[in-house]
Amino acid sequence: MKPIPYSRQSISEDDIAAVSAVLRSDFLTQGGELPRFEAAFAEAHQVAHAVAVSNATAALHLACLALGVGPGTRVWTSPISFVASANCARYCGAEVDFVDIDAHTRNLSVASLRDKLQRAEREGALPRVLIPVDFAGLPADLAEIRGLADRYGFAIIEDASHATGATYRGGPVGSGWADATVFSFHAVKIITTGEGGLIATQSAALANRLRALRSHGITRDPNALQTPPEGEWVYEQQSLGYNLRMTELQAALGLSQLARLPALRAQRERLARRYDQLLADLPLACPARLADRCSAWHLYVVDLPSGAPWPGRAQVFAQMRAAGIGVNVHYIPIHTQPYYRALGFEPGDYPVAERYYAHALTLPLYPDLADDDQDRVVAALRVALQTQPVPSRAAAVLA
Ligand SMILES: *Cc1c(COP(=O)(O)O)cnc(C)c1O
């Protein structure tokens, strides 16, 4: 039987036509598709400014720089995320620290954050920026986090890489609780540009800094030049920027995918509900649903039961993979990675995150997952959970 991946892009004939049209046009980069994509994304997310870049890692990096993250500053994030959520602060020479997660939502815990902020205030070690992650597509506790940001004076970069199209208290994610909201358009995310990322913000000043940073720190805007220009060729490099632009091919694909966002989201939501129902009698925990927010359903992560008579996660994972089911694990806690251990973090530092990680299994979920294939995933999981642990070598020798 055909293997089922854990995720996969959904590409329509319209998507293909949009990219082909760019290939036949005059501009492969720095043309009209990028501003059209940015304007459409901003409108769909009820936000004033959208700045698209080459990927979400670059978006996080530039958002950190634009918000003043640098040597001598601190950035806090969740240990249950992709490493990019923490690495962006290291690119800027800042110190990284983590806030443990909430076992129910799997997002950064507001209670842990409050405690940590009280301690940090006493020690004069408050963060410049907090990066809450909308894990699996479920928005973080943005209202509570906004309240703490206003009280303690840190900025919020929401990592919504999983959460394009998610809603929080009636509005789309990115519409203004955070100072900057970062989206990813990697192939497995909610909408894709192949590789791609975007920063949404209500601040014109921040958007201008981000636009300069993504293109060498150069401006050609006659109104922004420091010296009256001698002619139309004049540009000024006013700061040190990078080349982290998105191409016209990517922007055209993004624009076409954005038009499909409601349908792609609805399909993920339908499949997630179907998992909820199909798994209801199994001894595992399904993802949380909260009344004031809707997940974008990037990932469907179950918490496996622990201890005898249940097989461990490694065994369930191996058996599912052997059956051609592309299960996965999201994520190895960032602070336990060798790079972060070398900075002084240790296993045991964030016990809720580590307990979550020990039992987590990501089931396949993507818009084009067929119901039959989803049934196969659940059937394979039932078989795997009925499996007794393999006898250990010692037991085999004694017998
Ligand atoms: C995918 C992802 C990123 C990085 O996105 P890229 O576009 O691949 O650079 C960052 N944070 C999280 C939580 C992600 O899942």
Side-chain angles (χ1 to χ4, degrees):
M1 259 186 292
K2 221 168 129 244
I4 301 171
Y6 102 83
S7 185
R8 160 177 182 91
Q9 68 275 14
S10 170
I11 298 296
S12 70
E13 288 305 317
D14 283 350
D15 293 338
I16 293 168
V19 175
S20 300
V22 170
L23 283 169
R24 295 193 179 91
S25 78
D26 292 335
F27 294 97
L28 301 187
T29 188
Q30 295 176 286
E33 294 293 327
L34 180 77
R36 274 194 285 282
F37 174 48
E38 290 177 334
F41 195 95
E43 188 181 342
H45 290 79
Q46 296 171 24
V47 66
H49 308 279
V51 180
V53 291
S54 49
N55 55 66
T57 303
L60 288 164
H61 180 193
L62 297 191
C64 281
L65 286 174
L67 286 165
V69 173
T73 67
R74 294 174 190 80
V75 173
W76 296 357
T77 187
S78 168
I80 297 298
S81 186
F82 185 54
V83 290
S85 304
N87 289 348
C88 55
R90 299 295 300 155
Y91 298 155
C92 306
E95 240 176 74
V96 170
D97 205 351
F98 301 93
V99 182
D100 209 348
I101 63 165
D102 176 278
H104 183 56
T105 66
R106 300 153 177 178
N107 281 329
L108 181 152
S109 154
V110 170
S112 299
L113 175 62
R114 200 174 283 125
D115 287 351
K116 200 176 171 81
L117 286 166
Q118 281 167 2
R119 257 177 290 132
E121 188 177 43
R122 282 195 299 273
E123 293 160 10
L126 286 168
R128 169 73 53 96
V129 163
L130 178 77
I131 306 182
V133 180
D134 300 330
F135 179 75
L138 185 73
D141 295 318
L142 297 168
E144 291 82 356
I145 293 170
R146 179 79 261 164
L148 291 168
D150 293 344
R151 155 129 202 249
Y152 289 96
F154 59 85
I156 306 168
I157 300 175
E158 180 184 359
D159 185 346
S161 291
H162 297 182
T164 308
T167 57
Y168 178 79
R169 302 207 175 170
V173 147
S175 59
W177 293 95
D179 297 275
T181 305
V182 164
F183 297 89
S184 173
F185 310 130
H186 180 275
V188 301
K189 302 285 164 72
I190 309 294
I191 62 170
T192 187
T193 59
E195 297 272 2
L198 183 143
I199 309 120
T201 179
Q202 299 289 18
S203 160
L206 191 63
N208 284 339
R209 279 205 291 285
L210 291 166
R211 286 182 209 283
L213 281 166
R214 82 170 162 193
S215 200
H216 310 281
I218 282 176
T219 181
R220 292 173 180 277
D221 177 0
N223 301 314
L225 298 178
Q226 291 177 5
T227 311
E230 205 186 320
E232 274 182 35
W233 69 86
V234 171
Y235 58 86
E236 281 181 355
Q237 188 199 338
Q238 299 177 339
S239 60
L240 183 62
Y242 304 82
N243 179 355
L244 297 172
R245 291 188 301 259
M246 174 179 275
T247 67
E248 291 289 280
L249 301 160
Q250 292 167 300
L253 180 54
L255 198 50
S256 179
Q257 289 257 310
L258 187 62
R260 301 176 55 212
L261 175 59
L264 293 170
R265 237 199 87 181
Q267 189 62 357
R268 285 180 180 273
E269 168 69 36
R270 189 185 79 80
L271 290 163
R273 286 229 177 259
R274 208 161 172 271
Y275 266 138
D276 287 353
Q277 287 156 8
L278 293 170
L279 300 172
D281 66 307
L282 285 175
L284 42 76
C286 294
R289 287 176 181 275
L290 302 181
D292 64 349
R293 66 201 82 175
C294 292
S295 178
W297 295 106
H298 168 52
L299 302 174
Y300 194 94
V301 180
V302 296
D303 258 307
L304 295 177
S306 62
W310 309 109
R313 195 261 310 276
Q315 191 181 333
V316 174
F317 180 97
Q319 208 171 321
M320 298 282 284
R321 281 280 178 100
I325 313 289
V327 286
N328 216 328
V329 174
H330 295 91
Y331 291 94
I332 300 168
I334 299 174
H335 67 281
T336 67
Q337 293 289 356
Y339 173 80
Y340 284 94
R341 291 194 63 176
L343 293 175
F345 294 100
E346 286 175 11
D349 284 350
Y350 304 96
V352 186
E354 291 168 37
R355 221 173 303 129
Y356 156 80
Y357 165 64
H359 306 291
L361 188 73
T362 305
L363 304 182
L365 179 63
Y366 47 94
D368 300 333
L369 176 67
D371 288 5
D372 285 357
D373 283 342
Q374 192 181 25
D375 293 342
R376 258 176 71 204
V377 173
V378 175
L381 185 58
R382 282 183 189 281
V383 171
L385 282 174
Q386 280 159 14
T387 309
Q388 294 304 308
V390 282
S392 72
R393 187 185 294 265
V397 169
L398 285 175

